[in-house]
Amino acid sequence: MKTDQNIKIELNQTFPLTIKRLGINGEGVGYFKKQVVFVPGALPGEEVVVEATKINPKFAEAKIKKIRIKSPHRVLPLCPVYDQCGGCQLQHLKYDQQLKEKCDIIIQSLERHTKIDIGKLDIRETIGMEDPWGYRNKSSFQVKAVDGKVLAGLYGLNSHQLINIDECAVQHAQTNEATSEVKRILEELKIPIYNEKSRKGIIRTIVTRVGIQTGELQIVLITTQKELPKEDIIIQEIQKRLPNVKSIVQNINGQKTSLIFGEETLPLAGEDFIQETLGDLQFELSARTFFQLNPVQTVKLYNEVKKAVALTGQEKVLDAYCGVGTIGLWLADQAGEVRGMDVITESIEDAKKNAKRHGFTNTKYVPGKAEEVLPKWVKKGWKPDVIVVDPPRTGLEGQLIQTILQAEPKKLIYISCNPSTLAKDIQALSAKYEVKFIQPVDMFPHTAHIECVSQIVLRGN
């Protein structure tokens, strides 16, 4: 007779499952015959009947066939295409409960990847939004023509089917309105829309960005070629119908690629950029400038960084992934000196301009990797008291971790957008450093993403 361990789930098998927790991608996680099963759309505490859709050696994926016992936190998603689009993962979960589950995802990652006693760790409640809708300041919607009608939206979950989105619930109202108007203009003027299969047509993507504090709007048309038919009329119509437009830009991308932007950007009308404000700081956002997608929560995030750094006015601060300098400039008025580096040269130029515009003379920005630049500075006698890191989802480079362990700053403030890599990096630093607290901040309500600010200090300090 087979033992439980030998019973494997088979494709299309239907079985009951109790959901224990949420996974890092927002899916429900349960166990059947000791095998882990991931179920998108299922919530902790629910008893469901599922059908296996994918079998991997270490886990299975399944879809809900029936909910036998429903979570008290389950709600109807606001968005009509929620289950097709895949842009959000948690609209079916009450917002206050989303904040608790996101905190739990961080705890799970720490339990899995570190040797820390979680019971003794100060993990704070997630800082959420008063109004968790309409927060995204930028949208990039692919376009497609169907029977003369122009559709714009995102490719569906695990498919290459374009889901038309007229009103995205997490996008700022002005970006929704702008995309709809541009769609109408392209349709009325019969501008050729790019077709992926035939690789014919001109307009590929409509990118809209709004300065949430300033109300300024930027439209970027991504085209396959430089020549844009009826260019003057397109510009006139956009300006007439969207009076807040301060910048109309064309970006050319003729490549067969999933990347949105090409290398060449041409101004069509107005400024090359729009203005946005974060706290007391102003930023110029050109078409390709990276900027936080949720400025309301960014202010809260950066204020948590400021509290965690707790500067006295003397410290040397290193902003290791500085981008256009936002975090370093947020701290510059309380620091002795701020230095930053980034691998994108244009970002460094923007960081220098931003520092100059705000009158900071205690900043220095250079292009390059932190793990290469910092040892040279230390050799010359410049040693940071505090290092602030805001790495990509992949976490810190191993070489940078070694550099931090050698430079021994008294404090490391780690802004993370991926709990798994944060936990692994905390473990790698644990020879010399300990975590004082972790403060989660919800930058992307209704999605599985969670950011957090960790204060990590040199042992003995």
Side-chain angles (χ1 to χ4, degrees), residues 14 35 72 104 107 137 184 188 250-251 292 299 393:
T14 301
Q35 268 192 290
D104 187 58
I107 293 167
N137 61 1
R184 264 184 226 116
E188 287 164 17
Q250 179 186 4
N251 176 271
Q292 293 280 6
V299 169
R393 287 189 66 77

Side-chain angles (χ1 to χ4, degrees), residues 439-453:
Q439 174 62 70
V441 180
D442 189 25
M443 297 290 283
F444 299 103
H446 312 295
T447 77
H449 296 294
I450 181 64
E451 307 247 341
C452 53
V453 176

Side-chain angles (χ1 to χ4, degrees), residues 21-25 101-116 118 121 123 393 416-427 438 448 450 452:
R21 57 186 170 84
L22 278 191
I24 201 155
N25 298 312
E101 295 295 349
K102 288 185 180 194
C103 199
D104 187 58
I105 287 171
I106 294 167
I107 293 167
Q108 286 176 48
S109 296
L110 292 166
E111 285 172 343
R112 196 173 304 129
H113 301 297
T114 75
K115 297 186 175 81
I116 295 172
I118 309 294
L121 198 55
I123 300 175
R393 287 189 66 77
S416 164
C417 59
N418 183 341
S420 298
T421 51
L422 168 69
K424 287 172 189 170
D425 291 345
I426 283 171
Q427 187 56 38
I438 295 176
I450 181 64
C452 53

Side-chain angles (χ1 to χ4, degrees), residues 314-325:
Q314 306 303 310
E315 292 86 353
K316 297 187 186 89
V317 177
L318 179 74
D319 184 0
Y321 296 78
C322 71
V324 298

Side-chain angles (χ1 to χ4, degrees), residues 211-214 275-283 285 291 295-296 299 330:
I212 288 181
Q213 296 302 322
T214 61
Q275 302 269 4
E276 180 57 306
T277 306
L278 278 185
D280 297 331
L281 303 176
Q282 281 82 40
F283 295 94
L285 310 181
F291 194 73
V296 173
V299 169
W330 202 262

Side-chain angles (χ1 to χ4, degrees), residues 356-414:
K356 194 176 175 184
R357 186 186 311 122
H358 292 96
F360 291 119
T361 53
N362 60 340
T363 58
K364 176 177 176 153
Y365 292 103
V366 299
K369 291 182 175 178
E371 59 268 26
E372 290 168 11
V373 177
L374 181 56
K376 290 174 189 168
W377 285 347
V378 172
K379 225 176 200 175
K380 287 179 184 169
W382 192 88
K383 190 183 159 191
D385 301 297
V386 179
I387 297 181
V388 180
V389 291
D390 185 8
R393 287 189 66 77
T394 46
L396 300 178
E397 290 279 342
Q399 208 182 331
L400 179 55
I401 290 175
Q402 291 314 308
T403 304
I404 291 167
L405 289 169
Q406 282 156 16
E408 294 190 340
K410 293 188 194 79
K411 215 179 263 182
L412 175 73
I413 308 301
Y414 191 138

